[in-house]
Amino acid sequence: MTRIIIIVLLSISYVTNCIAEDVIRNGVPRFDTDGNIVNAHGACIVEDGGKYWLFGEYKSDESNAFPGFGCYSSPDLVNWNFERVVLPVQPDGILGPDRVGGFIMVPSTG
């Protein structure tokens, strides 16, 4: 009986500690500190001076328009703060208003 009580108490302690910690979970949306879903598709994370930076393609609507890259910062890889959209749409050129995702043709694969 004593063993069962000890096992139950240790299990409760373990579960309580897991709930209290910040945990990174796969397969669920991540939210920024404002409660919005992190918008950074195909993201890349860079560490600089103890701070993490996440950059990824920012999606704005259903048309596959590309308004820039979402930039987020984090002290711990769990809590992300939206900084701003970097490389925003420019008046013209390759960063202009008509940029939309496309295809790259590779001759060897047809």
Side-chain angles (χ1 to χ4, degrees), residues 46-87:
V46 178
E47 186 271 333
D48 181 47
K51 192 172 195 177
Y52 298 94
W53 297 91
L54 182 144
F55 298 92
E57 192 175 333
Y58 192 87
K59 299 287 189 176
S60 63
D61 57 28
E62 298 295 323
S63 71
N64 200 25
F66 178 56
F69 290 91
C71 174
Y72 296 82
S73 65
S74 172
D76 56 12
L77 293 173
V78 175
N79 301 294
W80 292 99
N81 179 53
F82 177 71
E83 298 292 338
R84 66 185 184 100
V85 172
V86 295
L87 291 176

Side-chain angles (χ1 to χ4, degrees), residues 7-80:
I7 291 171
V8 169
L9 290 175
L10 288 173
S11 297
I12 291 171
S13 174
Y14 177 76
V15 169
T16 303
N17 285 335
C18 287
I19 292 171
E21 294 178 21
D22 286 329
V23 178
I24 299 171
R25 300 191 193 287
N26 289 326
V28 295
R30 291 185 181 24
F31 294 89
D32 64 18
T33 53
D34 293 329
N36 300 310
I37 292 178
V38 171
N39 191 343
H41 302 270
C44 170
I45 298 174
V46 178
E47 186 271 333
D48 181 47
K51 192 172 195 177
Y52 298 94
W53 297 91
L54 182 144
F55 298 92
E57 192 175 333
Y58 192 87
K59 299 287 189 176
S60 63
D61 57 28
E62 298 295 323
S63 71
N64 200 25
F66 178 56
F69 290 91
C71 174
Y72 296 82
S73 65
S74 172
D76 56 12
L77 293 173
V78 175
N79 301 294
W80 292 99

